[in-house]
Amino acid sequence: MRSARQLESGADAVVILTASEALHGAAALLGGQPHRRFVHEAVTTEDTVVKLLGRLARRGEQQMIAVYPTQAVGDQFAAAFPHLPAVVRAFAVDDGRRLTDAERDGGRTTFGIPAAEAAVCLVGGWWPYKDIDVIDAALARLKEPLHLVVAGDPLDEAVLERWRALPHLRLHTVPGPVAESVLRLVYGAADAALVARHPGVGKESGLVMDAARLGVPLIVSDHDHDPASPAVCTASPGP
């Protein structure tokens, strides 16, 4: 932080990416300036030496403000850093680039989905916090035709094969990391985006942030209540 300020003294802001959730006070003292620290989630387990350094530099914590995306993440950090100034704010950024009618038409054309047919998308890698089981159970209960566009990495090919065999489901897959332009087509093709995470996941959903930014409706499992979500329709795997 100190070097960045010296090299770019005229910058309005300096942004530094870090994977550690500790050493808040040390970062402030060594950086030599007050700052905000955006904390996405609490996942790092610090060892004894790092925790000791954090305690020695605790006075530096008053030179920064931690910004948490959800109250659940804030509560986790409050237990470990009770004196750290903090606020809870969603990380969604409105860049004024909502989906256009041309992108919606282009998305449907790209995946061969007729305009009159229902379609949803499932975006993002299938990491442990994503509740694929509840989506799997819901799709098995379909009684009307539905298009599902799946984009992300990693994906479970065994589950995808099972979905391909469902009588009322037409599956479209976009594996691997994709460019922003392709991702906009995926969202554009869908009437709504599916969001389902396991109960107890405290961090904010990047999918919800994208949907809010692009203006895409959400269908959210009834046990996933992301506080950053806009108005949504909730669904469960039951009838």
Side-chain angles (χ1 to χ4, degrees):
M1 289 177 62
R2 189 184 297 270
S3 297
R5 272 300 184 192
Q6 290 174 345
L7 294 172
E8 297 291 340
S9 57
D12 293 331
V14 173
V15 179
I16 298 176
L17 303 180
T18 171
S20 176
E21 291 89 28
L23 296 179
H24 305 287
L29 291 176
L30 294 173
Q33 58 184 327
H35 65 279
R36 294 185 183 91
R37 193 168 203 189
F38 292 86
V39 181
H40 178 60
E41 59 180 319
V43 295
T44 300
T45 301
E46 310 294 357
D47 60 25
T48 302
V49 174
V50 173
K51 289 180 179 178
L52 176 60
L53 291 174
R55 285 196 293 270
L56 293 175
R58 182 158 292 168
R59 63 186 178 87
E61 292 180 2
Q62 299 307 306
Q63 297 182 38
M64 60 155 290
I65 297 177
V67 183
Y68 306 127
T70 68
Q71 188 60 55
V73 173
D75 292 343
Q76 287 178 297
F77 272 84
F81 302 95
H83 306 294
L84 184 65
V87 295
V88 176
R89 295 287 187 274
F91 287 179
V93 176
D94 185 358
D95 59 3
R97 298 182 61 237
R98 290 206 162 198
L99 290 174
T100 64
D101 290 339
E103 285 176 314
R104 294 184 185 278
D105 292 340
R108 291 273 174 154
T109 300
T110 297
F111 297 104
I113 303 174
E117 296 184 8
V120 295
C121 65
L122 177 62
V123 177
W126 293 5
W127 302 108
Y129 57 81
K130 185 166 288 190
D131 194 346
I132 297 300
D133 289 342
V134 75
I135 296 176
D136 189 33
L139 293 177
R141 288 164 169 77
L142 284 175
K143 293 181 174 59
E144 298 181 5
L146 177 71
H147 292 263
L148 172 63
V149 184
V150 177
D153 180 70
L155 304 176
D156 188 327
E157 288 298 328
V159 174
L160 292 176
E161 282 300 316
R162 185 163 64 249
W163 290 355
R164 288 188 181 97
L166 293 175
H168 296 296
L169 185 68
R170 173 79 184 279
L171 183 65
H172 312 266
T173 58
V174 186
V178 298
E180 171 72 11
S181 58
V182 176
L183 192 59
R184 291 177 70 92
L185 288 176
V186 171
Y187 280 114
D191 297 304
L194 299 179
V195 181
R197 301 181 303 175
H198 287 288
V201 175
K203 68 174 185 174
E204 103 286 10
S205 168
L207 173 58
V208 170
M209 300 296 98
D210 273 348
R213 179 173 61 89
L214 298 174
V216 180
L218 297 173
I219 299 176
V220 182
S221 60
D222 56 8
H223 58 250
D224 184 359
H225 298 292
D226 190 312
S229 300
V232 297
C233 171
T234 60
S236 68

